[in-house]
Amino acid sequence: MYVLPPHLANGTRSYAELYSDILTTYRSSPLTSASSVTILVSTNVDALCAARMFSTLLHQDDIIHRIIPTPGYDELMEAAEDAVKNDELHTLIMLNVGGYLDLTARDWFGNAGSRLKIHVIDSIRPIHLANYYEAPDVFVWDDGSVEKAHEFRKSFEITFTAPELESDSEDESDLEDDSDLGSDDDDQVKHSEEDENENLTYVNKDLSSGKRRSMGDGIKPNKRRRTSHDRSDRITRQEYKDHEETVKAYYKGGTTHGQSAAAVMYILATVLERVDNDLLWLAIMGLTYQYTTSRISRAYYDTQQAIYDDEVSRLNPIPPDGALTSINPDDASVRASDELRFMLFRHWTLYDAMLHSSYVASKLGIWKERGRKRLTGLLAKIGFSIGQTQQPYAHMDMDLKRDLVRKLNDIAPEYGLVELSYPSFMRCFGYRSQPLSAADAVEGISALLDAAGGVRIDIEIEGARNGGEWFGGGRAWEANAGRYSGKKEKEDETGESQQTTAADGESVSKVPHITSRGELESKRSGWWIRNFWTAYDALNEQVDLHLDIGALREALRLSMALHRAIIRQGTSIIDKQDIKTMAGYRVVVLSQGPDLALFTHPSVLLRLALWLVDALRDHIPVMTNGYKTKRKSLPFVVACLNEVAETYMIVGFTAALEFDDVRKNEFTHTFINARRMCRAELRHTSFDATVVELPQKDLRIFLDALCEGP
């Protein structure tokens, strides 16, 4: 069932009542233990922030609980199996996990019985209709999106319960007896189930083990038969098919994102009257993550940002003279500010920050020498010398930094840069550190989730450029310690370095000592879990005044290395004209290169796809039958070879043609249709249904089927 936020509940149960039920169940259960309340957390910044917020509230109420990182469906399958066996588990909270699934199905949590209460807090839409309407033990913490699902409710309930069907001919149906009719109906339902299983259960097929789990498509495989013989309950076969198509249309509409999970937690904290700057900052990070990764539009972001702006004013004193720096050693205030669309510019050089901005790349075409000259010319016209733009931003002259925004607003529009900033927030950390913007904090946490472990990547040492720090160079990021480690210390037992050096001196190393897919799967699961806890610890530093945020600040250098790799790969793709047009899709296949191991991570590959979309949005003419035409989206497909597993990781992204706009991502069912046509084996490794993995041998036939599909 669904539960609305307080301002939409109109007297019905809302978030606070659900939270109270969790507390009551925990305190009254005779089998209460640390595993009685379990939180499954997806591996993205929004879910991580929501987990930290929910954990804070539970700690305040002395509720012992577990947090389990859940990167994808394999881990969710393990959680479902554990839920059936664990009699002590009575409350399961799912943060950005599994809302698209029919959680009451036997494939998932249906066998756990009524003792298990599942709370779904998921920003991905659509939510499965069974979770909305037919699951009394599943509670969807909705943001009002259910209103759009109401028009599909009748059709869903009809197909969900498998009503008795009557013949299209009235005379024939009058002569049929009920037993014959029921037999025909059973045959039809059986065939329908077989078709559905064939089409849908592939998505969780482990390419190595052959295990299957259904994601569902609105029409439940284990339908409940109605027992009434009242003719008013019967419908014709054609009516049933029409209802099936209506339900399928709900899921085929495309993937979108609603209110962030962190925002739901902040609403709960507000109702409980427990809000503070720590929870506010985490909610802001959740919103910022959605915006910077193109999950929400600028219009939606502005609406939510205005709400948080009011909260900032309510919880924080107005700083003297509008200062953005800490005013005392214990200053942990949050302040509104404007954020430039330059990547990590407060921690990088101004030139590098602009060079690695997808917005600047789109307008200036920085992958070409001419584009880089335009960037240098822009900075010179503003009044910055080459030496000044190559200095770390923190070391630049104060007068230059003070006048930067004003000069950019005067000069940048001549270069097409008309939306250089957006309203955002910063947080102070006393005298421990300079204030940190929400966008920079999100970049650091994202980098830890994506690349704190699993691949080796070199990061630049501050002062090492141009021969500094013992003739320049970089050091390898050390995942476990969150600190630097010398390259030579990372050589293997034979004395040979595992490092693959890129053109500009940075490196992304191949995964050492892995020779089989089974070993890779085991290690990859371990990496994701370690990355999750590394990021979670860095997140804790921001909300604990007694901790230093050094790990997060160093993670910003890891983020810089990631963006250098993205620019390096993206520039190579454009220069070599590796973007192919196939039936309206832009297709990129990565099969070699120094950064190949890095881009086998789904989220990093998605970052590359986002950069390509942003960079080329204004430069690729959209053609149909040889003529330019105005379309609403720009679909991109990017595939990267995993040499060890002999598979391709594939992401599909439907981008809007206008900057700061979003479009529904229709690749979820586009991939399903392609698989159905070519019979390739696909596997979803994350809860983003537009990210799939398939065997290397099947890539060509899969792409051909993708382009031939409806």
Side-chain angles (χ1 to χ4, degrees):
M1 67 174 65
Y2 62 89
V3 177
L4 295 172
H7 66 283
L8 298 176
N10 294 325
T12 60
R13 285 163 55 84
S14 188
Y15 299 167
E17 286 74 21
L18 290 184
Y19 183 74
S20 178
D21 289 346
I22 294 173
L23 302 186
T24 301
T25 303
Y26 178 86
R27 291 166 179 166
S28 62
S29 174
L31 298 177
T32 291
S33 69
S35 62
S36 296
V37 178
T38 298
I39 305 175
L40 304 182
V41 188
S42 181
T43 51
N44 59 62
V45 175
D46 176 35
L48 197 70
C49 291
R52 182 62 175 81
M53 298 169 77
F54 204 94
S55 180
T56 297
L57 297 176
L58 292 176
H59 276 302
Q60 292 172 355
D61 289 307
D62 297 323
I63 304 299
I64 303 173
H65 57 279
R66 288 196 301 173
I67 295 178
I68 300 179
T70 312
Y73 292 102
D74 290 341
E75 291 73 18
L76 183 60
M77 184 188 302
E78 295 176 3
E81 293 171 352
D82 179 68
V84 175
K85 301 174 184 176
N86 185 3
D87 293 333
E88 297 178 349
L89 176 62
H90 54 68
T91 301
L92 189 67
I93 296 100
M94 305 175 69
L95 299 177
N96 285 350
V97 171
Y100 185 77
L101 305 174
D102 178 2
L103 298 175
T104 63
R106 291 189 297 270
D107 283 347
W108 298 105
F109 297 93
N111 293 327
S114 60
R115 66 170 172 80
L116 180 63
K117 309 301 180 185
I118 303 174
H119 298 261
V120 178
I121 306 170
D122 197 344
S123 64
I124 299 177
R125 303 291 183 271
I127 299 291
H128 200 286
L129 291 173
N131 298 331
Y132 273 148
Y133 302 121
E134 295 289 344
D137 297 317
V138 175
F139 303 93
V140 179
W141 298 42
D142 196 62
D143 61 353
S145 302
V146 69
E147 295 295 331
K148 299 178 181 178
H150 284 338
E151 62 180 289
F152 302 93
R153 181 171 186 173
K154 179 180 178 181
S155 294
F156 167 73
E157 290 176 343
I158 289 174
T159 57
F160 185 85
T161 54
E164 293 192 20
L165 307 181
E166 61 183 22
S167 171
D168 291 334
S169 170
E170 183 177 354
D171 294 337
E172 184 179 336
S173 66
D174 288 337
L175 296 175
E176 286 181 328
D177 100 291
D178 288 339
S179 61
D180 293 337
L181 183 68
S183 176
D184 292 341
D185 298 344
D186 289 338
D187 290 342
Q188 178 180 352
V189 171
K190 180 179 179 181
H191 292 313
S192 176
E193 291 170 10
E194 290 174 352
D195 292 341
E196 181 188 356
N197 289 335
E198 175 67 22
N199 295 337
L200 300 172
T201 55
Y202 82 95
V203 290
N204 285 311
K205 181 175 182 181
D206 189 317
L207 300 182
S208 60
S209 68
K211 294 181 179 179
R212 290 175 178 260
R213 287 290 170 102
S214 173
M215 284 178 65
D217 199 22
I219 304 175
K220 191 172 180 179
N222 49 328
K223 300 180 178 70
R224 294 201 302 256
R225 287 299 310 269
R226 286 181 177 167
T227 58
S228 171
H229 296 281
D230 189 342
R231 287 190 61 87
S232 63
D233 291 335
R234 301 180 183 179
I235 60 174
T236 66
R237 287 181 172 81
Q238 184 58 47
E239 288 175 333
Y240 184 82
K241 291 180 180 179
D242 291 342
H243 286 300
E244 277 189 328
E245 293 302 317
T246 299
V247 172
K248 289 180 180 179
Y250 170 77
Y251 298 98
K252 292 181 179 179
T255 302
T256 60
H257 288 79
Q259 187 168 252
S260 68
V264 174
M265 290 295 97
Y266 190 78
I267 293 173
L268 173 62
T270 302
V271 175
L272 299 177
E273 299 182 349
R274 300 184 191 177
V275 295
D276 55 23
N277 272 336
D278 292 340
L279 297 181
L280 175 59
W281 179 245
L282 293 172
I284 288 172
M285 286 183 61
L287 174 66
T288 304
Y289 167 76
Q290 285 190 312
Y291 179 59
T292 57
T293 54
S294 298
R295 283 168 165 77
I296 58 175
S297 67
R298 173 63 181 273
Y300 183 83
Y301 172 82
D302 286 343
T303 301
Q304 298 296 308
Q305 187 274 338
I307 296 174
Y308 291 136
D309 195 19
D310 291 340
E311 290 294 291
V312 167
S313 300
R314 183 172 69 88
L315 296 175
N316 297 272
I318 300 176
D321 302 324
L324 295 177
T325 56
S326 300
I327 58 178
N328 61 64
D330 297 322
D331 186 6
S333 59
V334 179
R335 298 172 185 172
S337 65
D338 286 334
E339 185 72 11
L340 289 173
R341 297 184 189 274
F342 303 156
M343 186 59 60
L344 301 169
F345 73 94
R346 298 177 186 86
H347 314 276
W348 220 340
T349 69
L350 183 59
Y351 179 83
D352 280 334
M354 297 181 70
L355 183 70
H356 293 83
S357 164
S358 60
Y359 178 70
V360 175
S362 174
K363 301 301 180 182
L364 301 184
I366 55 88
W367 56 86
K368 298 180 181 178
E369 185 64 28
R370 179 172 174 269
R372 292 189 171 126
K373 288 182 177 179
R374 291 188 70 197
L375 175 57
T376 304
L378 167 62
L379 293 170
K381 199 167 185 177
I382 291 175
F384 290 177
S385 67
I386 294 178
Q388 290 168 335
T389 61
Q390 296 291 340
Q391 284 183 320
Y393 182 82
H395 300 164
M396 287 177 60
D397 187 273
M398 287 299 298
D399 292 335
L400 295 178
K401 290 192 286 187
R402 189 179 301 112
D403 296 336
L404 175 62
V405 175
R406 179 182 59 81
K407 291 182 177 181
L408 282 172
N409 290 334
D410 292 340
I411 305 299
E414 299 177 14
Y415 293 79
L417 302 171
V418 295
E419 298 180 35
L420 277 178
S421 64
Y422 60 93
S424 187
F425 303 92
M426 299 183 68
R427 186 166 197 195
C428 298
F429 296 96
Y431 293 165
R432 296 179 295 158
S433 169
Q434 289 293 321
L436 198 65
S437 72
D440 292 347
V442 167
E443 284 295 331
I445 298 298
S446 295
L448 292 175
L449 285 170
D450 295 341
V455 292
R456 288 186 54 216
I457 182 169
D458 271 11
I459 58 179
E460 186 180 85
I461 303 173
E462 185 173 357
R465 183 171 293 188
N466 301 323
E469 291 283 333
W470 294 87
F471 309 109
R475 292 185 181 272
W477 169 264
E478 175 59 40
N480 293 331
R483 297 294 186 267
Y484 304 128
S485 175
K487 293 180 183 178
K488 292 184 179 180
E489 297 175 1
K490 293 300 174 184
E491 294 179 357
D492 63 13
E493 297 176 354
T494 64
E496 297 177 355
S497 174
Q498 298 295 325
Q499 201 158 287
T500 303
T501 305
D504 63 358
E506 291 199 2
S507 68
V508 176
S509 300
K510 296 180 180 179
V511 180
H513 308 304
I514 297 179
T515 57
S516 68
R517 177 178 176 82
E519 185 179 358
L520 177 64
E521 289 295 330
S522 175
K523 288 185 176 294
R524 181 161 60 182
S525 177
W527 296 330
W528 280 338
I529 293 174
R530 285 194 293 272
N531 290 358
F532 176 90
W533 291 116
T534 300
Y536 192 84
D537 289 342
L539 195 65
N540 281 339
E541 293 178 354
Q542 300 182 65
V543 295
D544 190 335
L545 290 176
H546 301 290
L547 296 176
D548 184 17
I549 64 168
L552 178 58
R553 296 188 69 85
E554 289 182 358
L556 298 180
R557 298 197 174 278
L558 178 62
S559 178
M560 293 175 190
L562 284 176
H563 284 287
R564 286 193 182 101
I566 290 170
I567 287 285
R568 184 164 58 239
Q569 187 67 63
T571 300
S572 174
I573 289 171
I574 297 174
D575 285 345
K576 295 179 180 179
Q577 298 182 346
D578 286 338
I579 302 176
K580 309 300 181 184
T581 302
M582 301 175 64
Y585 296 103
R586 306 289 173 179
V587 179
V588 177
V589 178
L590 306 178
S591 57
Q592 59 184 355
D595 302 326
L596 199 63
L598 178 63
F599 290 106
T600 58
H601 289 225
S603 52
V604 180
L605 188 61
L606 182 58
R607 287 190 187 208
L608 175 62
L610 287 172
W611 186 89
L612 288 171
V613 166
D614 285 339
L616 299 176
R617 181 179 277 115
D618 296 335
H619 298 270
I620 293 183
V622 182
M623 308 290 289
T624 299
N625 297 327
Y627 297 96
K628 291 185 179 181
T629 183
K630 184 174 180 59
R631 294 182 57 187
K632 295 182 179 180
S633 62
L634 184 64
F636 251 81
V637 178
V638 183
C640 181
L641 174 64
N642 188 326
E643 296 176 301
V644 175
E646 296 183 344
T647 61
Y648 271 96
M649 189 66 66
I650 302 177
V651 301
F653 187 77
T654 306
L657 295 181
E658 298 296 330
F659 191 77
D660 264 348
D661 195 8
V662 295
R663 285 287 178 267
K664 291 183 177 181
N665 197 334
E666 300 178 355
F667 273 100
T668 301
H669 282 273
T670 301
F671 285 159
I672 288 178
N673 291 333
R675 181 266 168 191
R676 183 187 303 145
M677 295 174 63
C678 68
R679 301 290 177 177
E681 294 181 334
L682 292 188
R683 177 175 179 243
H684 280 252
T685 58
S686 72
F687 293 109
D688 187 343
T690 60
V691 179
V692 297
E693 186 178 14
L694 82 160
Q696 180 179 354
K697 61 182 177 60
D698 293 337
L699 177 66
R700 178 53 54 190
I701 60 173
F702 177 77
L703 291 179
D704 290 342
L706 186 70
C707 297
E708 294 174 3

